[in-house]
């Protein structure tokens, strides 16, 4: 039974990890940044840092997978957002 629960956790974490990829792709390829809330992305990034530290400390694999993926995707979105915002004002 423990194996089944672990697999459910890993499947859920992979699903959440994959869910961020379309938004990351859209942010990178689109010229429109107005639909992206920088405050929400920054809050998600900050929360993901905290949850990554927590999950690594307690060695919770599904949370590690999810939060590292969210951390990477939100970092990419923040960088693209800032880059596009700086280039659109010039």
């Amino acid at each position: 039974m423990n194996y089944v629960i672990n697999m459910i956790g890993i499947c859920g974490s992979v699903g959440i990890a994959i869910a961020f990829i379309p938004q990351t792709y859209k942010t990178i390829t689109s010229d429109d940044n107005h639909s992206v809330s920088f405050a929400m992305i920054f809050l998600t990034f900050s929360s993901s840092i905290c949850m990554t530290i927590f999950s690594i400390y307690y060695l919770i694999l599904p949370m590690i997978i999810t939060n590292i993926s969210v951390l990477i995707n939100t970092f990419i979105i923040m960088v693209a957002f800032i880059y596009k915002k700086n280039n659109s004002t010039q």
Side-chain angles (χ1 to χ4, degrees):
M1 185 63 168
N2 199 21
Y3 174 77
V4 172
I5 297 299
N6 285 339
M7 290 310 297
I8 290 171
I10 289 173
C11 288
S13 66
V14 168
I16 291 171
I18 292 171
F20 258 89
I21 293 172
Q23 182 63 50
T24 304
Y25 178 78
K26 182 179 178 187
T27 303
I28 291 171
T29 59
S30 175
D31 291 333
D32 181 25
N33 272 357
H34 300 292
S35 63
V36 177
S37 167
F38 187 78
M40 186 280 260
I41 295 299
F42 182 75
L43 183 60
T44 303
F45 181 75
S46 301
S47 300
S48 186
I49 288 172
C50 294
M51 292 304 294
T52 299
I53 293 167
F54 174 83
S55 59
I56 289 172
Y57 180 81
Y58 286 107
L59 296 175
I60 305 170
L61 184 60
M63 286 181 69
I64 293 170
I65 293 168
T66 301
N67 287 297
I68 288 177
S69 173
V70 169
L71 189 66
I72 291 168
N73 280 291
T74 54
F75 179 76
I76 292 169
I77 292 171
M78 281 192 333
V79 169
F81 183 89
I82 293 168
Y83 176 79
K84 289 179 181 184
K85 187 166 183 127
N86 289 339
N87 282 345
S88 68
T89 59
Q90 295 177 353

